[in-house]
Amino acid sequence: MTVAICIPPLDDELTESSGERQLYKAFRSGLGDDYLVVHSVKWIAKPHGIGPRDGEVDFLICRPHYGLLIIEVKGGGVVLDYTTGRFVSIDRQGEEHAIKTPFEQGMKGKFAILEKLKESPLWRGKVLVGARRAFFPDDLDRVDGLVGPDAPREIIDGDGT
């Protein structure tokens, strides 16, 4: 049986998110060796006319001849109010924590990583394809409530599939 190439090695002590740990292990055992899974990819982008900005994506999955997939993971209960743009995670104690929308994070991360690749002579002139998804491992019942104009159901996972 072949397994995906995952970097860096998972460190349970350094990876605070149980959802990210769960997904990392699922990728490692469930994908073939033609997949490269990179966890916690940090980037610095310089959008046209704007100063540099930092960012991070939870997972970057690469597969030759298919492209790149960016995945953002949000644990806990999740609530999104499209009328206010407020996105919160609810912890085990029932406390709400304002969080960044994973849909926007994924979109910005996808474009930033594609731009970074285009800066390299190895990738110039090549067609690069990227996609994004959001994964909510702890809130299976509410993911349909997250669907919106920037988040069609096809990019939202809540059950590991």
Side-chain angles (χ1 to χ4, degrees):
M1 176 180 179
T2 62
V3 295
I5 300 164
C6 296
I7 54 176
L10 182 63
D11 186 334
D12 285 332
E13 291 179 22
L14 293 178
T15 305
E16 292 180 23
S17 167
S18 64
E20 288 181 30
R21 287 193 303 271
Q22 173 188 344
L23 202 51
Y24 185 103
K25 291 172 183 175
F27 290 147
R28 185 177 54 206
S29 64
L31 298 176
D33 63 359
D34 58 336
Y35 286 86
L36 171 64
V37 177
V38 187
H39 179 235
S40 190
V41 178
K42 292 165 180 54
W43 48 265
I44 299 174
K46 294 187 337 186
H48 303 292
I50 303 173
R53 80 189 151 98
D54 297 335
E56 183 261 353
V57 297
D58 295 328
F59 289 97
L60 169 62
I61 301 176
C62 311
R63 187 173 186 205
H65 310 293
Y66 290 89
L68 309 173
L69 178 62
I70 304 298
I71 297 181
E72 284 298 321
V73 180
K74 295 296 182 199
V78 289
V79 178
L80 173 60
D81 181 348
Y82 271 103
T83 61
T84 63
R86 185 170 184 254
F87 204 112
V88 297
S89 175
I90 304 168
D91 66 22
R92 289 184 182 103
Q93 289 76 36
E95 293 184 39
E96 291 187 359
H97 305 274
I99 58 174
K100 296 177 184 176
T101 167
F103 310 121
E104 186 175 333
Q105 280 182 286
M107 178 186 63
K108 287 180 179 178
K110 176 183 78 170
F111 288 121
I113 288 170
L114 289 172
E115 285 299 315
K116 293 306 285 181
L117 288 172
K118 289 178 187 175
E119 290 175 9
S120 167
L122 296 171
W123 289 98
R124 274 194 209 121
K126 303 237 188 322
V127 175
L128 299 173
V129 178
R132 62 186 168 94
R133 293 192 79 134
F135 182 68
F136 303 92
D138 301 324
D139 206 3
L140 308 181
D141 298 330
R142 292 194 205 170
V143 293
D144 286 332
L146 302 175
V147 172
D150 63 337
R153 182 64 179 100
E154 295 81 16
I155 71 164
I156 302 172
D157 278 320
D159 61 358
T161 59

